Amino acid sequence: MSERSTDRFADYGRPRRVDGGLRARSARGAIGRSWWSRRFLEVLESFALGTRLTRGRSYARAGQVLTLDIAPGRVSAVVQGSRPKPYQVSIALKPFPAALWSRIENELAGQAFFSARLLAGDLPDELEELFAAAGAPLFPTAVDELTQRCNCPDFAVPCKHLAATFYLLAEAFDADPFELLHWRGRSRAELLDALRARRAAATGVTPTTEPVDVPSEPDGVPSTVDVGAPVGAARALIGLSATPLAEAADRFWSAPVPLPDRPPRLVTGTDLLLRQLGAPAPAIGGPGLLERLRRAYRAFGPADR
């Protein structure tokens, strides 16, 4: 080996220790709990990146990734290596165009199952098939769809800094599945607002945000709430004329209109609220706090136990 090439790698060694980095939650074994994060890593491994990905696992678990930002079409990260200056990492994936997202949103809004699960903060397994049928595969189908960049001198792609970013990205999808859709071009708020608007249009009911007085709380303080379309009994009673109680005493406990069959129960995990809110800010604990809260929720168990 030439003296020049020896000098080039002479300052490479163990990565510099980092305080406060983003540390992978799994201390050993596979990374990724949810179907969407496991599927994402499986897709990467199918591109013959499996052995290269493992190079970054220790970096991800040691907290070498300083920052991770997910935006439409691009993931950016700062990763601390063996040199004093951290490396700049980016992983680009072409977002879906607006017209394609509009078609997907129509498909999602047209099926109550998908709307209910998404509004509950969850991604059903069948979502991947729906995206594929719409001509918009949720995950990359070939390695050249990913533009991987790192300013380290390692020629391997992915290098261990990119690989560590991939692992932390998978765990970010675990913490908030909507980050996967955000990477593809739709934020949580944009998607859910579009679904609500399409569902309202389909039912012919225009949502409103006007406050409506409701009965006082036990302490006597009146409350107001924002309401949208009538739901439950309110929807069933629309258009019915009032009947004096004396004329309807024998039917007092009967439903004024036939009740629909009981819908199937939507099974969700005990950490539903955490999935709806997303990961907390780093200033209050970040993904680490989210994982501790998730373990607490599971320890408490279902509310109906």
Side-chain angles (χ1 to χ4, degrees), residues 116-242:
R117 291 288 293 272
L118 289 169
L119 292 171
D122 197 12
L123 297 187
D125 296 9
E126 297 83 357
L127 197 66
E128 184 178 6
E129 297 179 6
L130 184 144
F131 271 77
L138 192 56
F139 301 97
T141 58
V143 69
D144 57 6
E145 292 182 17
L146 295 167
T147 303
Q148 306 174 58
R149 301 189 185 279
C150 178
N151 64 344
C152 77
D154 191 346
F155 292 111
V157 179
C159 61
K160 48 184 169 289
H161 316 107
L162 277 161
T165 302
F166 275 125
Y167 281 123
L168 267 295
L169 181 58
E171 287 208 341
F173 295 159
D174 268 335
D176 183 0
F178 284 86
E179 291 290 14
L180 174 58
L181 304 182
H182 187 201
W183 193 23
R184 278 302 206 176
R186 271 295 185 271
S187 69
R188 173 199 293 262
E190 291 171 337
L191 177 61
L192 297 188
D193 286 349
L195 291 182
R196 292 188 185 101
R198 282 167 167 75
R199 295 288 293 176
T203 57
V205 178
T206 303
T208 178
T209 57
E210 293 295 327
V212 177
D213 289 334
V214 298
S216 300
E217 299 293 337
D219 59 5
V221 179
S223 303
T224 60
V225 295
D226 291 341
V227 297
V231 297
R235 175 174 292 180
L237 296 174
I238 290 177
L240 294 179
S241 58

Side-chain angles (χ1 to χ4, degrees), residues 229-305:
V231 297
R235 175 174 292 180
L237 296 174
I238 290 177
L240 294 179
S241 58
T243 303
L245 179 61
E247 300 178 12
D250 59 334
R251 305 192 308 276
F252 183 77
W253 297 111
S254 301
V257 295
L259 297 177
D261 294 335
R262 183 177 181 180
R265 181 179 179 183
L266 180 62
V267 179
T268 58
T270 55
D271 58 350
L272 170 62
L273 180 59
L274 298 180
R275 295 202 305 274
Q276 289 178 308
L277 297 179
I284 60 173
L289 173 60
L290 188 68
E291 181 61 24
R292 290 193 291 274
L293 289 173
R294 183 175 283 110
R295 287 198 298 266
Y297 275 44
R298 290 173 179 169
F300 294 149
D304 58 352
R305 177 178 293 178

Side-chain angles (χ1 to χ4, degrees), residues 79-112:
V79 184
Q80 180 65 62
S82 57
R83 288 183 169 182
K85 187 175 182 179
Y87 298 115
Q88 304 293 321
V89 172
S90 71
I91 305 169
L93 177 64
K94 187 176 181 180
F96 299 140
L100 185 53
W101 265 113
S102 180
R103 187 162 73 247
I104 292 172
E105 288 163 353
N106 285 332
E107 291 287 338
L108 294 173
Q111 302 186 43

